[in-house]
Amino acid sequence: MALPIPPNPISTIDPEAPRIANATPISNTNNPSSSGPAFIAMQKVKTNLVLRSKWAELNGAMGDLGTYIPIVLALTLSRNLNLGTTLIFTGIYNIVTGAIYGVPMPVQPMKSIAAVALADPTFSVPEIMASGILTGAVLLVLGLTGLMQLAYTLIPLSVVRGIQLAQGLSFALTAVKYVRKVQDLPKSKSLEERNWLGRTSRIGRRVKNVVFSLPSAFIVFVLGVILAFVRRPQVVREIKLGPSSIEVVKFTKHVWKEGFVKGTIPQLPLSILNSVIAVCKLTSDLFPGKDFSATSLSVTVGLMNLAGGWFGAMPCCHGAGGLAGQYKFGGRSGGCVAILGAAKLVLGFVLGSSLAHIFNQFPVGILGVLLLFAGIELAMASRDMKNKQDSFVMLICTAVSLVGSSAALGFLSGMLVFLILRLRDWTKGKPLSSFWLRGSPRL
């Protein structure tokens, strides 16, 4: 009796082998989670937050503190601004903007509103918040309607450079003042000369040489914290653990009116020019290929203030000076400001407003070092003017901005001179298309 022939293993396995081998790749390519909008967005966020260099990014995160700490501390001490709430909200802003843009996009206090609050005793926290909310609402509307993008397209480069140069020089002059003289931040005044910078003091010369030879913004900041405790060791007893209570600010019709007239109106030109238009141009200069639209920046500034203003967080915006400072000290990615945001969140939840006692002892001259380099970096962006006419417009805009202490006045003067010069060229036979040569970035 013949035995049954066993089935050929090759003949039974081979036909199934290709289907088994290809099963996994087919399921991956058909998996919606790996190609959907949510997956793509998550991958973009991860890419934006990747640190190019850990130490350089950490160093860059400190580059904007020269403007942040003095303004926030002055308002905390003089107007009872809730420092803990401000740290928490600005920390969230830092992380979100870093994830969205992928560059060290700064989050700075609105300087014009802060200046009004420090100069006017009747301009208290409700008025500060009302002005920030109204400013944010206007910027949000300008962004959503496309008017901000139109303004960016029409405003000539020479005028933008003039605003940047004025802001950079203003930062540098303020930095020198911080270094040379003792500061009364709550009153926004300079006092007597610092003894440790005196020419007759041997110790002063040594400290000065050490401070100015430090290569790292991070080391400078850590040194400032150490000196704060050395100057007044009793500050340790004033520290209280735990976050500050977050309360909803109460508004009245009078508060809204005062906030709009005294705060929003002078802040809007500065926000439009320095926080949106100048940041757009500086970003394209420092990070080729990352041409953010004025629409997106205007919307993020608007949303930040509409979110935090109701709870007492300081009105904030982006700023060309902060971007230049963080870039100067090594910031290259969104992870740079995300580190800063995480640090703010930790300090806000752990120490809250008691952190003001430490910052009050922080040597302002140390912050002047950071602010000086931020100002120089921002001012150097104006070196690309190629002809005398554009340079003249830029310098007129800068001079009027500095002398008049108003970016709006400098902008109007620069635009007027620009139009006069272009009109003169047109009468000599040049085409009208030469009025504005700068194109619009992608949306």
Side-chain angles (χ1 to χ4, degrees), residues 53-179:
S53 172
K54 294 181 180 180
W55 285 110
E57 300 281 9
L58 179 62
N59 195 44
M62 306 294 111
D64 191 28
L65 297 181
T67 56
Y68 182 87
I69 292 180
I71 294 176
V72 172
L73 177 60
L75 291 175
T76 300
L77 298 177
S78 64
R79 295 293 178 266
N80 293 321
L81 178 74
N82 193 322
L83 178 59
T85 301
T86 297
L87 286 172
I88 292 172
F89 275 93
T90 55
I92 296 173
Y93 301 158
N94 280 129
I95 295 173
V96 173
T97 53
I100 293 175
Y101 294 112
V103 300
M105 188 64 69
V107 174
Q108 299 179 319
M110 289 188 174
K111 300 176 183 63
S112 182
I113 294 176
V116 173
L118 293 173
D120 186 354
T122 64
F123 202 80
S124 57
V125 169
E127 285 80 7
I128 294 173
M129 299 306 133
S131 59
I133 292 172
L134 293 173
T135 303
V138 173
L139 292 175
L140 181 62
V141 171
L142 291 176
L144 294 178
T145 57
L147 293 176
M148 186 67 77
Q149 186 66 40
L150 178 63
Y152 176 78
T153 305
L154 295 179
I155 295 176
L157 177 62
S158 55
V159 175
V160 177
R161 291 306 194 204
I163 298 296
Q164 289 178 322
L165 180 58
Q167 189 69 56
L169 293 177
S170 177
F171 278 5
L173 293 174
T174 303
V176 173
K177 180 179 67 174
Y178 283 176
V179 172

Side-chain angles (χ1 to χ4, degrees), residues 52 54 59 63-64 72 97 103-104 108 129 178 182 193 195 202 244 264-265 273 339 380 385 404 426 429:
R52 304 293 184 266
K54 294 181 180 180
N59 195 44
D64 191 28
V72 172
T97 53
V103 300
Q108 299 179 319
M129 299 306 133
Y178 283 176
V182 178
E193 296 280 343
N195 292 329
R202 181 178 301 176
S244 305
T264 300
I265 292 178
L273 295 172
I339 293 174
M380 288 179 63
M385 294 291 96
W426 176 62

Side-chain angles (χ1 to χ4, degrees), residues 7 23 76 124 158 165 174 199 203 211 307 320 346 377 396 416:
T76 300
S124 57
S158 55
L165 180 58
T174 303
R199 287 176 293 179
I203 298 179
V211 170
V346 171
E377 182 70 22
I396 287 292
L416 179 62

Side-chain angles (χ1 to χ4, degrees), residues 40-52 98-99 102 290 333-335:
I40 296 175
M42 288 300 298
Q43 291 299 316
K44 182 179 180 180
V45 168
K46 290 180 180 179
T47 302
N48 288 342
L49 294 179
V50 170
L51 300 177
R52 304 293 184 266
K290 287 186 175 290
S333 70

Side-chain angles (χ1 to χ4, degrees), residues 217-239:
F218 177 71
I219 296 178
V220 170
F221 179 74
V222 172
L223 175 64
V225 174
I226 295 174
L227 290 178
F229 287 99
V230 172
R231 294 173 64 182
R232 189 168 179 267
Q234 295 83 358
V235 73
V236 178
R237 302 174 185 176
E238 300 173 355
I239 297 176

Side-chain angles (χ1 to χ4, degrees), residues 172-229:
L173 293 174
T174 303
V176 173
K177 180 179 67 174
Y178 283 176
V179 172
R180 290 184 60 243
K181 296 185 177 182
V182 178
Q183 301 298 311
D184 187 352
L185 291 179
K187 296 182 180 179
S188 189
K189 292 182 179 180
S190 298
L191 304 178
E192 70 275 4
E193 296 280 343
R194 294 183 184 276
N195 292 329
W196 59 274
L197 281 177
R199 287 176 293 179
T200 60
S201 172
R202 181 178 301 176
I203 298 179
R205 288 195 298 270
R206 292 178 180 177
V207 174
K208 176 182 176 181
N209 293 334
V210 170
V211 170
F212 282 95
S213 65
L214 289 174
S216 170
F218 177 71
I219 296 178
V220 170
F221 179 74
V222 172
L223 175 64
V225 174
I226 295 174
L227 290 178
F229 287 99

